[in-house]
Amino acid sequence: MQRFLKEPVYILGPCSAESREQVLLTARLLREACGELPFIFRAGVWKARTRPSTFQGAGEEALDWLQEVQRTYGLPVATEVATPEHIEAACRAHIDYLWIGARTSANPIAVQELADALSQQSFRPKGVLIKNPVHDDPKLWLGNIERLEKTGIPVMAIHRGCNHQPCWSMAHMVRLSRPDIPMLLDPSHMSGDASKVPALMGKIGELGLDGAMIEVHCNPKGALSDNAQQITPTCLRDSLDSILSRLCLVSLICPSKDQEELHWLRAEIDELDDLLWETIAKRMDVSRRIGEWKKANLIRPLQPQRYQQILSQRQKWAEENNIDADFVTQLFDIIHQQSLKQQL
Ligand code: PEP
Ligand code: MN
């Protein structure tokens, strides 16, 4: 089945609607920065924040500001919904697109309630977008897509990663299971870091994704939520320019779906290497702390018995996972030697 989109979808705007002025200024700057490029303006009105002492969003009043963006700039608008009451309010305000955030996406009961509420509205949004759950669970993400599809409203998926890291393996599985569902990239929540957003945007073309949701703020440093990851409209413009030219390049050098598959698999390898690297760095850190303990307790760094124990346990894992035992021995020899160095 073909995905229903003809053009990539860009959903751009601040993490939160903070004030009427901030919303309208960001919309104007984005309109100017994007030129002819069509986009949907986003702003969160009800924010699912980790700590209760932080900004929780401006609430229903901010829906008026989004309507003003629709009227003034002719832009379709999107906001996040987390409860049936949010859906009722957003539909009353004729918000064009609704998205379901990663925290809500982790709870299938909540998603079902939202799907039921959506089905009951007389106003039909143009689309409903579902982020991946905060944890790596492709089946839950797929299940949420299925729940929302029953509303008859077009559904799109958003890959926003887990713990400020991409989760390409999860996205790849969803992509393979549901090639008919458009998938957008959210490089902002995926990295939590504005400086990483432009490079991540390059993945849109490489992986044949259908667009992106990107947090853009008129004054990122002063933002009341997610201030480390929002970019300026100018930075967005520059990044789009470079990815649009890259997209042309990719379509020249990567015309087939097979090539796309290779890029997905390579993204998975990069993700795993990142994890390996992070794990090795953490392991060295723990080794140093063990070294301090050994020094304080007058124990030598090398404890042959302990190393034998480690090695035979790891070789057992190798056997269970069909990995060559010699390879595992060599690998742990290198790791162990380096760990000992940390303790000298
Ligand atoms: C958001 O898009 O503002 C948001 C809260 O995203 P997520 O649910 O991915 O954290
Ligand atoms: Mn945000």
Side-chain angles (χ1 to χ4, degrees):
M1 215 198 298
Q2 276 296 305
R3 287 189 281 274
F4 59 84
L5 294 174
K6 294 201 176 58
E7 298 291 333
V9 172
Y10 291 104
I11 306 180
L12 313 169
C15 176
S16 309
E18 299 166 9
S19 67
R20 177 177 171 270
E21 291 66 33
Q22 170 253 7
V23 166
L24 287 168
L25 177 60
T26 307
R28 178 167 67 76
L29 295 176
L30 266 169
R31 194 96 202 71
E32 287 164 11
C34 288
E36 294 299 301
L37 185 85
F39 68 94
I40 300 164
F41 182 81
R42 64 150 278 161
V45 164
W46 302 280
K47 300 303 296 177
R49 302 302 300 284
T50 311
R51 311 281 305 263
S53 51
T54 51
F55 179 62
Q56 303 292 300
E60 220 169 308
E61 179 192 10
L63 296 174
D64 295 344
W65 310 335
L66 288 178
Q67 287 181 316
E68 211 171 327
V69 170
Q70 284 172 322
R71 285 195 304 273
T72 314
Y73 298 105
L75 290 169
V77 295
T79 201
E80 176 176 344
V81 287
T83 67
E85 293 74 28
H86 294 166
I87 292 199
E88 279 160 28
C91 286
R92 267 198 312 274
H94 290 199
I95 301 300
D96 304 277
Y97 293 86
L98 304 179
W99 84 82
I100 296 173
R103 288 156 195 83
T104 312
S105 180
N107 178 355
I109 295 180
V111 174
Q112 187 59 54
E113 277 176 8
L114 296 182
D116 293 342
L118 265 175
S119 301
Q120 284 158 18
Q121 306 305 310
S122 48
F123 172 81
R124 303 206 32 99
K126 296 189 183 98
V128 56
L129 299 104
I130 177 86
K131 296 222 187 179
N132 66 262
V134 263
H135 59 291
D136 180 359
D137 191 340
K139 287 196 183 137
L140 183 55
W141 196 8
L142 284 167
N144 288 340
I145 291 170
E146 289 157 13
R147 289 173 199 279
L148 293 167
E149 275 180 315
K150 297 235 169 74
T151 64
I153 298 169
V155 179
M156 294 183 247
I158 306 179
H159 175 209
R160 52 85 76 204
C162 304
N163 300 322
H164 285 162
Q165 301 284 349
C167 195
W168 300 119
S169 49
M170 167 162 52
H172 191 190
M173 185 172 159
V174 168
R175 191 67 160 169
L176 291 174
S177 308
R178 293 302 305 268
D180 55 320
I181 295 288
M183 185 181 284
L184 312 190
L185 187 79
D186 173 349
S188 312
H189 293 90
M190 180 174 280
S191 63
D193 180 344
S195 70
K196 295 188 177 151
V197 168
L200 274 172
M201 283 167 68
K203 291 283 178 205
I204 301 169
E206 228 173 88
L207 302 175
L209 291 170
D210 303 284
M213 173 185 261
I214 305 168
E215 287 193 341
V216 187
H217 193 288
C218 54
N219 171 25
K221 288 205 169 64
L224 298 182
S225 60
D226 286 351
N227 63 353
Q229 71 194 33
Q230 301 198 63
I231 58 173
T232 60
T234 320
C235 169
L236 189 264
R237 173 71 271 168
D238 296 345
S239 312
L240 277 178
D241 277 349
S242 92
I243 68 154
L244 290 177
S245 51
R246 227 180 123 139
L247 275 181
C248 299
L249 207 67
V250 168
S251 62
L252 284 178
I253 57 170
C254 163
S256 74
K257 285 272 151 208
D258 292 354
Q259 288 283 335
E260 223 169 81
E261 176 67 7
L262 176 65
H263 286 293
W264 273 101
L265 293 170
R266 284 186 170 159
E268 281 195 45
I269 288 283
D270 289 345
E271 178 186 326
L272 292 169
D273 283 354
D274 256 10
L275 282 174
L276 265 179
W277 175 243
E278 206 178 288
T279 307
I280 287 174
K282 275 190 195 157
R283 197 185 192 285
M284 293 303 156
D285 186 46
V286 176
S287 275
R288 279 192 287 277
R289 285 157 57 199
I290 291 178
E292 281 158 26
W293 189 93
K294 284 178 179 167
K295 264 185 209 145
N297 289 277
L298 306 174
I299 292 178
R300 269 197 226 115
L302 178 63
Q303 298 290 313
Q305 223 183 344
R306 164 73 178 152
Y307 185 55
Q308 271 319 310
Q309 226 177 28
I310 289 187
L311 208 54
S312 56
Q313 169 65 264
R314 307 315 184 243
Q315 281 168 340
K316 207 163 141 250
W317 290 344
E319 214 173 288
E320 285 164 7
N321 290 288
N322 259 335
I323 298 175
D324 185 73
D326 283 347
F327 162 70
V328 170
T329 309
Q330 283 176 36
L331 182 65
F332 274 93
D333 269 344
I334 296 175
I335 292 177
H336 185 246
Q337 276 168 32
Q338 191 60 31
S339 279
L340 285 178
K341 273 195 200 158
Q342 312 296 312
Q343 301 189 359
L344 293 177

